[in-house]
Amino acid sequence: MRLQKKTKIALLMLLISSILFTVVLIIFAKPADYDKSAQTVQYEEPVPEITVTPEPTAAPEEENEEDQEKTEETKGLTNGQRYYKTLVEPESKNILLIGQDALYQAYDTIIVLSIDEKNKQMKLINFPRDVYIDYSDKVLEELKKANPTHAADPSIQKMNAAHAIAIDLKYGAEDGKFGTSGNTIYAMNFWADLMDEIFGIEIDDYIIIKTEGFRKVVDLFGGVWVNVPVYMHYEDPVQNLYIHLEPGYQLLNGAQAEGFVRFRQGYTREGEFKTYSVYFRQKNQNAFLKAFFEQHVNLKNLSKAGELFDIISKYVKTSVKGNEIFQYANIMQKAIRGKYEQITEVIECSSSKNINGILYEILKTEE
């Protein structure tokens, strides 16, 4: 029996609320020693009225095979930068999830939700914000013309600064995937092409989420049961962050959940200050997300659709509109009833490298 319109919308609300958690978990996960160097780009400021979209450089009419290969490598946004393995299936539905940092108003969370109906899988792919993007000379030259200040910023080639380049270039102003005007549109056009070129992921839609709704959504669902793996004690009044959690399986409310997913360093029970790896934090985030899906993303929670809609309307920007709403709702229905396998993956980096005083993560690429 086909779902009624209101039920489909309610299912979509559950899907987006789940996505909200996915993105916000990583956004909130910033330690006190958070690197602010990548936040020097203020993308909300007005940009010069220059419409420049990088175009492939025309190859000479006659060139040898080696020159032709070099031209092919440099005609896009990057110098042929390509991740070493395939991440998504060809027919998957891929949603780009961007988390907007509330403090610095920057895009610091980059996740792709890939829904594979054929294999009944939902994959979450996390992209480190400090990945070095090997932009082509064409892109860097056009950026220098459009905004010399941004071009001179040593952190501009971090992945999480891509939106600033897009806005300066007014990327896709003539034929962008998601439209032709507006800073958000320029940014998403650029992200879509970047994801396709480097990672082979064709982006179907995007969702941009602000962090403020995190506690509200956790509390709306009555909290989340999760296992706290270690003694978590940390305070940072500047960030209004106070984490006090004992180890063990327990129900976390919104404030406690925020502390759980943000925790990376703090004091042990013996008073020793300890810093954990980024993978420790990601493991906790994935555990929390998995618990949220299992406990709350189900047909029983359709009654919360109205309150979810109010929260999502306030904190979410998305390209999903019109009939697409029902397409995603149908996918969500299948995911719930078909018990899709949930997979999490973190993009691999081969090393870290200091470039012009900025520490970058170097992507593991094809040999």
Side-chain angles (χ1 to χ4, degrees):
M1 185 173 70
R2 298 184 63 183
L3 292 177
Q4 295 181 350
K5 181 177 180 180
K6 289 184 178 179
T7 304
K8 288 185 176 181
I9 293 176
L11 280 168
L12 181 66
M13 293 304 102
L14 286 174
L15 173 62
I16 293 182
S17 67
S18 304
I19 293 171
L20 183 147
F21 273 99
T22 305
V23 177
V24 174
L25 294 184
I26 313 297
I27 300 173
F28 277 140
K30 295 188 178 70
D33 60 349
Y34 174 54
D35 176 15
K36 300 180 179 59
S37 62
Q39 307 308 324
T40 56
V41 178
Q42 300 296 324
Y43 67 90
E44 291 296 342
E45 294 179 359
V47 296
E49 292 298 322
I50 299 176
T51 303
V52 183
T53 300
E55 296 292 341
T57 302
E61 292 184 2
E62 294 184 5
E63 58 182 4
N64 59 38
E65 184 176 344
E66 182 178 349
D67 290 337
Q68 184 176 2
E69 289 179 357
K70 184 176 181 180
T71 300
E72 288 296 318
E73 289 179 352
T74 59
K75 72 178 182 179
L77 296 175
T78 72
N79 292 310
Q81 191 175 19
R82 185 77 172 187
Y83 193 55
Y84 83 102
K85 69 176 181 179
T86 300
L87 292 166
V88 300
E89 295 299 320
E91 297 180 359
S92 295
K93 197 78 170 176
N94 304 308
I95 308 171
L96 175 62
L97 313 176
I98 296 291
Q100 184 175 356
D101 186 297
L103 183 59
Y104 298 102
Q105 297 298 299
Y107 293 173
D108 255 358
T109 297
I110 311 152
I111 296 176
V112 168
L113 169 62
S114 183
I115 305 172
D116 181 2
E117 292 188 70
K118 180 179 179 180
N119 296 307
K120 294 186 176 182
Q121 293 179 337
M122 295 180 69
K123 178 185 286 189
L124 290 164
I125 307 169
N126 295 298
F127 298 78
R129 67 184 181 90
D130 294 337
V131 164
Y132 177 80
I133 303 300
D134 186 21
Y135 290 114
S136 66
D137 290 341
K138 178 68 173 178
V139 171
L140 296 177
E141 288 170 5
E142 297 298 350
L143 176 62
K144 188 179 294 185
K145 294 176 185 177
N147 193 325
T149 301
H150 284 180
D153 188 327
S155 66
I156 196 64
Q157 289 186 244
K158 284 193 174 186
M159 191 172 187
N160 74 323
H163 63 280
I165 296 176
I167 293 169
D168 286 334
L169 301 183
K170 295 188 182 299
Y171 190 82
E174 296 181 358
D175 58 354
K177 179 181 181 70
F178 295 112
T180 56
S181 64
N183 285 356
T184 297
I185 297 299
Y186 299 144
M188 293 302 100
N189 288 340
F190 194 79
W191 277 108
D193 285 353
L194 206 61
M195 284 291 181
D196 191 14
E197 182 172 329
I198 300 177
F199 300 101
I201 301 175
E202 183 177 351
I203 300 300
D204 296 291
D205 283 295
Y206 67 83
I207 296 177
I208 302 174
I209 302 171
K210 296 182 179 181
T211 62
E212 293 90 333
F214 180 77
R215 294 188 185 191
K216 294 181 182 294
V217 176
V218 174
D219 290 333
L220 174 62
F221 282 95
V224 176
W225 285 91
V226 69
N227 181 52
V228 179
V230 298
Y231 180 81
M232 295 183 176
H233 277 240
Y234 180 82
E235 293 186 358
D236 184 353
V238 175
Q239 300 184 62
N240 192 30
L241 177 62
Y242 300 91
I243 304 173
H244 300 290
L245 294 173
E246 295 291 326
Y249 189 68
Q250 57 197 280
L251 180 66
L252 303 183
N253 61 26
Q256 293 169 325
E258 177 187 348
F260 176 75
V261 300
R262 292 185 70 172
F263 185 80
R264 179 185 170 186
Q265 59 185 10
Y267 289 93
T268 65
R269 199 180 297 277
E270 293 73 29
E272 178 186 356
F273 192 80
K274 182 177 181 179
T275 298
Y276 295 85
S277 72
V278 65
Y279 295 104
F280 168 84
R281 190 171 59 193
Q282 289 173 336
K283 183 178 179 180
N284 290 337
Q285 293 161 359
N286 290 341
F288 186 92
L289 179 63
K290 185 174 186 294
F292 175 77
F293 265 102
E294 292 175 347
Q295 296 168 33
H296 299 304
V297 182
N298 52 58
L299 297 176
K300 297 177 183 178
N301 279 323
L302 292 180
S303 61
K304 294 182 172 64
E307 293 170 275
L308 274 173
F309 181 80
D310 291 339
I311 295 173
I312 291 167
S313 296
K314 186 175 181 180
Y315 298 111
V316 174
K317 290 182 181 179
T318 179
S319 61
V320 180
K321 295 179 178 66
N323 291 333
E324 289 181 336
I325 290 177
F326 302 106
Q327 293 175 16
Y328 281 115
N330 284 330
I331 292 173
M332 191 58 191
Q333 177 194 14
K334 294 177 182 177
I336 292 174
R337 293 181 173 175
K339 297 182 179 180
Y340 277 28
E341 180 185 8
Q342 298 169 33
I343 301 173
T344 58
E345 183 162 354
V346 178
I347 293 300
E348 298 177 54
C349 295
S350 58
S351 64
S352 298
K353 186 176 182 180
N354 190 307
I355 302 176
N356 296 324
I358 300 297
L359 188 64
Y360 284 93
E361 297 297 325
I362 305 303
L363 195 67
K364 188 174 181 179
T365 56
E366 293 179 341
E367 296 182 358

